[in-house]
Amino acid sequence: MSRSAHPAGPRHADVMSEGHYTAPADDLNALDEKVWSSTVTRDEHGALTVGGIEVSRLAEEFGTPAYFLDEADFRARCRAWSDAFGPGADVFYAGKAFLSRAVVRWLKEEGLNLDVCSGGELTTALDAGMPAERIAFHGNNKTVEEIERAVGAGVGRIVLDSFQEIVRVAHTARRLGRRQPVQIRVTVGVEAHTHEFIATAHEDQKFGIALAGGQAAEAVRRALTLDGLELIGIHSHIGSQIFDMAGFEVSARRVVQLLAEVRDEHGVELPEIDLGGGLGIAYTSEDDPREPHEIAKSLGDIVTRECEAAGLATPRISVEPGRAIVGPTAFTLYEVGTIKPLEGLRTYVSVDGGMSDNIRTALYDAEYSVTLASRTSDAEPMLVRVVGKHCESGDIVVKDAFLPSDLAPGDLIAVPATGAYCRSMASNYNHALRPPVVAVRDGAARVIVRRETEEDLLRLDVG
Ligand code: LLP
């Protein structure tokens, strides 16, 4: 399913699509490097290790379920993105995928910028020392208070999402005696999902200002007249988990057309375009993501070509990858609790987490893979569904996968590629305690987001 359309909106287990699974891999113990972070391997006893530390030791020290984040891999991905785009472009990590103060420090050290979309993300970024000018502030309904904080902090750009916001940001900036750099987020009539994109005639979504009907041109007109704003460019984000560059191509072409219209009407060449995030990663061996250098070349070529055709100087490009940086860097480690074989159908393997630490399977019908982590096994493969401990039949972590048939309670299993949109979308459903994020690097592991405790639950519940 990770190859098909990323469904919009919630799904209930009762309407989940039919099982989708291929034959078991030849060797269930093998680790496909596409879905695992770079330091994950098996040691001489067959146990999974990350950053040189064996998972049983990690489970003993930090408990399960827990997310283990491979810091070296995270940093390497940051570098790969910034090297691929080079000094003439800007990479903004999308903090919504996963944000913590440690992550902010790594981004800062690796020279990346940061996209935040709430007051909470902004606070985390600033508290961890990200220079405000390297922060972009997003969101379709920023509160006036958030706008004040962002402008007051001196963020490098605010991405304007609506006509009301043009006025709100201009007003706040004037009041604070600033000229705020802004981009306008446009909806280009392209919706991209994984391997497909759909060019729609209308703009039926809450984000951005439509290019259609001259809306975006009108937004530019207004932004250019307000002296609290410095319009630096146009922004477009077309979707999630995208492999097909064709959607970006259409988006870039339409954004460049708008730049040409702006030049013709106002005599101004806007210096930047931001093509958003949304680049896909491998959740299973069936996914074939593109490398950052291919993406950079492809986007660079499209923009250069379109600008040449329109007689424009090539603007500075920025991108906002979230999933593509953090997604593959982490796995979730679970302990197997109960095992329920259903003859001729599948075996349900219950783990000590579930939809509270990974809602993506229930919400988007997302696909994941899983491996036996605490040991290897030569037992026959069995078809499993990895489920959580929540009071809901849709509480599925991995819908269809194969694990060795000698799997037993107490075994540790690991689900790769859970770095993005898992901890950041985690919930307390059934008063589950949200798992910790543990960073592992060069034989050392440290908690960067601690596990919630029952005291945390009671502290919020004021009685
Ligand atoms: N920029 C903007 C303006 C965005 O809205 C997003 C994601 C990104 C960048 C980063 O996209 P990424 O590179 O991480 O795909 N919860 C969903 C994904 C929602 C994405 C929302 N916007 C999921 O779990 O698949």
Side-chain angles (χ1 to χ4, degrees), residues 35 42 53 74 91 121 138 144 216 225 237 242 247 250 252 259 309 337 350 376 415 429:
V35 299
R42 287 192 189 271
I53 312 182
F74 183 96
V91 180
E121 289 182 1
H138 268 281
V144 170
T225 60
H237 171 80
I242 304 167
V250 176
L259 294 189
S350 292
T376 50
V415 174
Y429 185 38

Side-chain angles (χ1 to χ4, degrees), residues 6 94 96 115 185 237 240 278 320 322-323 360 364 421 425:
H6 186 156
K96 67 204 81 185
D115 142 13
R185 176 165 176 177
H237 171 80
S240 286
E320 298 171 337
R323 184 191 324 263
R360 297 192 69 262
Y364 310 122
Y421 304 109
M425 292 174 77

Side-chain angles (χ1 to χ4, degrees), residues 1 16-22 346 367 383 385 399-400:
M1 257 311 143
M16 262 189 155
S17 61
E18 269 305 293
H20 164 89
Y21 49 86
T22 49
R346 72 182 87 248
E367 277 203 354
L383 178 65
R385 179 159 290 174
K399 198 154 54 128
D400 295 300

Side-chain angles (χ1 to χ4, degrees), residues 7 52 57 92 94 122 152 155 204 239 245 248 257 341 379 396 403 421 457:
R57 257 184 62 203
F92 285 76
L122 179 64
V155 298
D204 189 2
M245 297 304 287
F248 287 102
Q257 268 164 20
I396 297 168
L403 283 171
Y421 304 109
L457 295 180

